Amino acid sequence: LLVLPLFLMLDGGTAQGQTSAEATVRALDDAERIAALNADTAALKRLWSEQFVANGPNNKVVADKRALLGALVPRSSYTRQVEFARVDGDFAFLMGLETLVAASDAPSVGLVAGRPTRRRFTHVWRREGGTWRLYARHANVIADR
């Protein structure tokens, strides 16, 4: 069971003008990042929608949740900076920058062990029943200059 900070359960606004829905989605997005970092497939199963689809940095769209869980690349670090957030009814959109360091080489997705990879990401969260679940993800690698 995912436990959210107390401020996420309050009605109305939260710090920095965020709505409670936005704060909740941001917290869940960070929980998803931590679950991916730790290869916690049980947590990812709870956080990802049954209809979850990802357009990954390897230019492939995958709509099979089990395949995505089985293709997790071990990470030694994984950070995410949300630069834009919007909640619109039953959907929430987060966009920003993420940096990961793969723990092992994953040539099929362009990752080299120990080398930081910066990516732009977009997440679409959808309210499903009484919670939010990650519904769609897009990530693309930022080319080194």
Side-chain angles (χ1 to χ4, degrees):
L1 179 66
L2 184 63
V3 178
L4 297 176
L6 179 60
F7 77 90
L8 295 178
M9 296 183 290
L10 300 175
D11 290 331
T14 59
Q16 300 174 345
Q18 295 175 7
T19 65
S20 60
E22 180 183 327
T24 298
V25 170
R26 284 176 178 261
L28 288 169
D29 197 71
D30 196 49
E32 192 272 345
R33 177 194 62 82
I34 292 167
L37 173 63
N38 295 321
D40 184 347
T41 57
L44 291 171
K45 284 179 188 177
R46 287 190 307 272
L47 290 163
W48 291 354
S49 171
E50 287 302 316
Q51 292 80 37
F52 180 59
V53 60
N55 185 353
N58 61 348
N59 297 317
K60 296 194 182 202
V61 176
V62 180
D64 181 343
K65 185 174 170 177
R66 282 180 277 150
L68 289 165
L69 289 168
L72 286 176
V73 175
R75 298 162 166 99
S76 57
S77 70
Y78 189 24
T79 62
R80 195 177 282 159
Q81 299 167 331
V82 175
E83 298 169 357
F84 175 83
R86 174 180 293 153
V87 176
D88 187 1
D90 287 339
F91 289 91
F93 308 88
L94 300 181
M95 298 177 184
L97 173 70
E98 61 185 25
T99 304
L100 70 91
V101 177
S104 59
D105 288 345
S108 65
V109 290
L111 298 176
V112 176
R115 188 175 79 196
T117 300
R118 294 171 9 110
R119 305 190 294 205
R120 303 298 302 170
F121 76 91
T122 299
H123 285 170
V124 178
W125 289 80
R126 182 174 76 166
R127 192 183 332 251
E128 296 180 0
T131 191
W132 291 89
R133 290 205 166 78
L134 188 56
Y135 186 66
R137 169 180 164 79
H138 175 264
N140 63 284
V141 174
I142 300 171
D144 292 332
R145 293 185 179 176

